[in-house]
Amino acid sequence: MEDQVIMTMSCEPTEVRDAADTDIAAAPHFFQKRIIKDHEVRVFAHRGACFAFQITSQSYPYTQVDWRYGSGFLDFQPCDTPPAIMERIDCFLAAFGLFYGSFDFIVDSQGAWWFLECNEDGQ
């Protein structure tokens, strides 16, 4: 089987409930509450140093759910990381024995940061 990238998609609870076992077994799944984004942030963290970039994912309809659809043309602007987020990133790296992590966050319209994932290999 050829490697494939499965992008993030929106789905309704009924679609999950009604999915066949073979549909769900096709790939790992993570289901979470839909969060209305103001923007997204990717943080590159290495041993106490954090470099954060705001991603203008809400600029285009087709990048609003998954910014990777626009990875070749979306703006990535340096931005600040709140101290509490930096502390949690450091704790995450220590807890998992990682020296580096590429962290993805959603920032909602109230400015709350929502953790999505950590990519330990930078991808």
Side-chain angles (χ1 to χ4, degrees):
M1 181 177 194
E2 187 177 318
D3 289 342
Q4 297 181 16
V5 173
I6 300 173
M7 305 299 250
T8 303
M9 297 177 258
S10 290
C11 62
E12 297 301 323
T14 54
E15 294 175 286
V16 176
R17 184 192 67 227
D18 297 340
D21 289 345
T22 54
D23 295 335
I24 300 297
H29 288 71
F30 299 96
F31 297 100
Q32 67 184 47
K33 175 183 171 181
R34 182 176 296 149
I35 301 164
I36 305 303
K37 304 174 193 176
D38 182 72
H39 61 277
E40 296 179 60
V41 175
R42 173 156 280 190
V43 178
F44 300 99
H46 183 290
R47 296 185 181 184
C50 288
F51 304 94
F53 297 88
Q54 180 176 326
I55 304 168
T56 58
S57 60
Q58 302 309 288
S59 300
Y60 303 94
Y62 47 90
T63 60
Q64 289 179 354
V65 173
D66 193 327
W67 67 264
R68 295 175 298 169
Y69 284 113
S71 61
F73 60 84
L74 286 175
D75 288 330
F76 289 70
Q77 297 295 324
C79 65
D80 293 327
T81 306
I85 298 295
M86 291 178 64
E87 288 175 27
R88 290 183 178 120
I89 286 172
D90 286 341
C91 289
F92 186 102
L93 293 173
F96 286 94
L98 300 173
F99 296 100
Y100 169 84
S102 179
F103 291 80
D104 290 322
F105 294 89
I106 289 172
V107 180
D108 67 22
S109 59
Q110 275 70 53
W113 285 49
W114 297 81
F115 172 74
L116 296 177
E117 66 177 338
C118 172
N119 300 289
E120 72 279 358
D121 62 357
Q123 298 299 315

